Amino acid sequence: MATSIARFSRRGVASNLIRRCFAAEAAVAINTEAPKPKPTVSPSPDRANWDYRGQRQIIPLGQWLPKVAVDAYVAPNVVLAGQVTVWDGSSVWNGAVLRGDLNKITLGFCSNVQERCVVHAAWSSPTGLPAETLIDRYVTVGAYSLLRSCTIEPECIIGQHSILMEGSLVETRSILEAGSVLPPGRRIPSGELWGGNPARFIRTLTNEETLEIPKLAVAINHLSGDYFSEFLPYSTVYLEVEKFKKSLGIAV
């Protein structure tokens, strides 16, 4: 009986040793196996290399092409579309959209449209007044404002986050407070301060306040000059010429 038990135990130990040897050989084979090459995707030769980060600043619509004066500053991410005219010394700041697809939009001399403003013009005005949008000279339009088929006469300030609806009129040397809404056909008389939703008369401006309105527009014009000087309107090919001269040992 003892002999048979010893025989069976030796067989069990031998089978366990064989299993361990096979397991070790399999693990070594897996570790030493060459890694499979990663699949590579080759681009098609006829695929266009588009830069989707770009944005068109000037968008012509049919026969209408936006016109920008030589010394006017228009930020790189501004959109001018259709019948838009930007006169001398004026500036359009980052993120603004001037969409003249239905009617004319004019930004006068030394005026400025600040960040994220939207200026639009309708086909016609329900009030019978001109449907085009006119921003005359020395006008400051605050950031995030919305202007649609309105008229702003010279030397005015439109506070930020303001809304001017169709046919509204802001006469010369007037101020509209920030966050105000000017309903369709509403008129702000000359030399007055209005504000609220809807906008209402607050008080008459002093002579000193009216004199500060064009000074603000001129100060923003000078600031835009600093931004304008950072851009090279005639390209940067001269840098390549200088590099080529240096490679030839020619003094630049």
Side-chain angles (χ1 to χ4, degrees):
M1 185 68 179
T3 305
S4 61
I5 293 174
R7 188 183 304 165
F8 283 118
S9 63
R10 284 195 297 270
R11 289 180 181 177
V13 171
S15 62
N16 289 336
L17 291 176
I18 294 172
R19 290 176 183 174
R20 290 179 182 177
C21 290
F22 280 120
E25 291 178 359
V28 171
I30 293 174
N31 293 332
T32 57
E33 186 177 356
K36 296 181 179 180
K38 295 182 178 180
T40 58
V41 179
S42 57
S44 176
D46 58 348
R47 181 179 177 85
N49 295 323
W50 294 101
D51 185 8
Y52 294 100
R53 298 170 299 171
Q55 174 177 305
R56 295 180 64 184
Q57 184 186 59
I58 305 296
I59 302 178
L61 295 175
Q63 61 177 336
W64 305 111
L65 177 67
K67 301 176 182 178
V68 181
V70 175
D71 61 342
Y73 170 69
V74 177
N77 59 340
V78 168
V79 175
L80 306 178
Q83 308 175 61
V84 178
T85 303
V86 181
W87 286 100
D88 306 79
S90 57
S91 57
V92 186
W93 294 82
N94 302 74
V97 177
L98 280 68
R99 187 160 62 91
D101 49 359
L102 301 180
N103 219 320
K104 297 179 181 179
I105 296 175
T106 304
L107 182 62
F109 172 77
C110 203
S111 294
N112 59 88
V113 175
Q114 297 180 10
E115 291 83 355
R116 301 292 179 180
C117 288
V118 176
V119 183
H120 190 224
W123 279 113
S124 59
S125 175
T127 60
L129 298 172
E132 64 182 64
T133 300
L134 172 61
I135 304 173
D136 217 316
R137 61 187 184 276
Y138 296 107
V139 174
T140 298
V141 180
Y144 294 91
S145 295
L146 171 63
L147 281 64
R148 179 176 170 85
S149 296
C150 59
T151 301
I152 305 175
E153 293 186 351
E155 301 182 16
C156 292
I157 295 178
I158 307 299
Q160 59 185 4
H161 289 273
S162 296
I163 300 176
L164 280 71
M165 302 302 292
E166 294 91 341
S168 57
L169 170 63
V170 181
E171 293 187 352
T172 182
R173 296 180 180 177
S174 300
I175 297 178
L176 182 65
E177 285 188 343
S180 301
V181 177
L182 198 59
R186 186 67 59 87
R187 179 180 69 92
I188 298 180
S190 177
E192 293 184 358
L193 172 65
W194 283 48
N197 182 11
R200 293 183 175 87
F201 170 77
I202 297 177
R203 62 178 176 85
T204 303
L205 297 175
T206 63
N207 186 41
E208 291 76 12
E209 289 173 334
T210 57
L211 292 177
E212 290 296 324
I213 295 175
K215 292 181 182 179
L216 176 61
V218 172
I220 295 177
N221 178 31
H222 291 164
L223 180 62
S224 67
D226 298 335
Y227 284 82
F228 191 79
S229 63
E230 294 297 323
F231 294 89
L232 299 174
Y234 300 108
S235 81
T236 58
V237 68
Y238 74 96
L239 295 175
E240 298 295 330
V241 175
E242 291 179 356
K243 182 179 179 181
F244 181 67
K245 288 183 178 180
K246 288 181 181 179
S247 65
L248 297 178
I250 303 175
V252 179

